[in-house]
Amino acid sequence: MRRLAALATLLVLGACAKQESPAPPPPPAAVAEVPPAPTASTQSETEQAAHSQESADGAAAEAAPSDASLEKIADSSASPALPPGKWETPRNYTVLVPAQPTSTAPGKIEVTEVFWLACPHCYALEPFMKAWLKTKPSWVEFVRVPVIWQPMHKSHAHLYYTLDALGRQDLEAKAFQTMVEQHDIMIGDGEDETFAKMQKFATANGVSADDFAKAWNSFTVNTNMQRAAEITERYHVVGVPFVIVNGKYTTDVAQAGGEAKLIDLITDLTNAEHHH
C-alpha cells in the first residue's frame, strides 16, 4: 500500500499549513482548492481573503509567549511611517521585536516569501507576485524560501533548490504548476522513490539524471535547505504564503485583506523602510 503517497495527497488537498496529524479525507464534493463563499451578501473582503490563506489550526494561539518571541507585537512607536489610516498593526501586519538580520547588501530592502510548491494558495498569489516583480524598485531584493515542516515539505524544498542550482528556474515554475494543477506531488513511499520521481520529472524536461543527482547532493543545496529550515522555525511559520519584509514585518494574504492588498502593503512597507 502506498500510504505515504496517499497521505501526502490528502495533506495537499487539505491545507497549506503545518499539521500535527492529517485531517480525514473530505467527501468528493468538498475537495476544492478554495472553500465556497458564504451565501450572505455582506461577506467582507477580509472574510474572502481568509479563503486564500490557511494557517495551522490553533498553532499560533497555542504558541507559548516569550520575551524573545518573534510574535511579540511592538508598540506604535516602532511602526513604520505608512500612509495614515491605510494599514493597522496587528490587523494587517505584525512588527517583529527584535528585528531579524537580512542577507541583503546595505541600501537594499529584502522581501521574503515563504511558500510551498504544492500549495494552491501560494499558486493563486503567483500572478500578483510576478506582476509586482516586474515593477518593483531595484533596491528591493526578493527572496523565495520553501517552507520546511514535514518530510513531504522537505522533499519539495529539496527539489526547488536543486532546480535552482541547475539554473532551471523555468522548471521551478513547471513543478509548481504540475503539483497544483495536476495534483502530481512527486512523493513516493520513501526517500529513494521520491528522489526517483523528482529526477524523472527533471530528465523529462531536459536535465540529465547525473546532473540532477549531483545538484541534489551538492553543498549549496544542503546549505540552502538548512537556511530554509532555520527561517521556518525562526519566524514561526505556520501557514503559507507568508511574507517577511526586511526582517521587521510579517504579513499574509488574510492579514492584508487579499492578494492585491498584500502586494499594496508590501509596496508601502518597503517604501517606508527605504525612506527610514
Side-chain angles (χ1 to χ4, degrees), residues 177-205:
Q177 181 182 38
T178 299
M179 292 189 190
V180 175
E181 293 188 2
Q182 300 177 26
H183 304 295
D184 179 4
I185 57 175
M186 307 181 206
I187 295 294
D189 283 339
E191 292 183 3
D192 290 343
E193 188 175 335
T194 293
F195 170 78
K197 285 177 176 287
M198 293 180 174
Q199 187 180 50
K200 182 178 180 180
F201 166 80
T203 56
N205 288 280

Side-chain angles (χ1 to χ4, degrees), residues 164-263:
D164 191 65
L166 290 166
R168 293 301 303 268
Q169 286 73 27
D170 59 314
L171 292 189
E172 295 170 11
K174 188 167 185 177
F176 211 168
Q177 181 182 38
T178 299
M179 292 189 190
V180 175
E181 293 188 2
Q182 300 177 26
H183 304 295
D184 179 4
I185 57 175
M186 307 181 206
I187 295 294
D189 283 339
E191 292 183 3
D192 290 343
E193 188 175 335
T194 293
F195 170 78
K197 285 177 176 287
M198 293 180 174
Q199 187 180 50
K200 182 178 180 180
F201 166 80
T203 56
N205 288 280
V207 177
S208 77
D210 186 53
D211 286 346
F212 184 84
K214 287 179 179 177
W216 181 276
N217 294 305
S218 69
F219 175 80
T220 297
V221 169
N222 287 330
T223 299
N224 286 335
M225 290 283 291
Q226 291 173 10
R227 180 174 178 271
E230 178 191 350
I231 288 176
T232 299
E233 181 177 357
R234 187 199 310 170
Y235 288 97
H236 307 300
V237 180
V238 294
V240 290
F242 181 79
V243 175
I244 307 160
V245 177
N246 219 32
K248 296 182 180 181
Y249 318 107
T250 64
T251 186
D252 56 42
V253 175
Q255 255 190 305
E259 287 89 351
K261 286 188 176 181
L262 175 61
I263 299 302

Side-chain angles (χ1 to χ4, degrees), residues 73-95:
I73 300 173
D75 58 32
S76 58
S77 64
S79 298
L82 296 177
K86 190 174 182 180
W87 309 108
E88 296 178 9
T89 180
R91 182 169 67 89
N92 300 123
Y93 65 98
T94 300
V95 181

Side-chain angles (χ1 to χ4, degrees), residues 14 30-38 43 47-54 121:
V31 179
E33 294 180 359
V34 180
Q43 183 189 29
E47 290 171 331
Q48 295 175 21
H51 295 317
S52 299
Q53 172 70 32
E54 298 187 32
H121 308 293

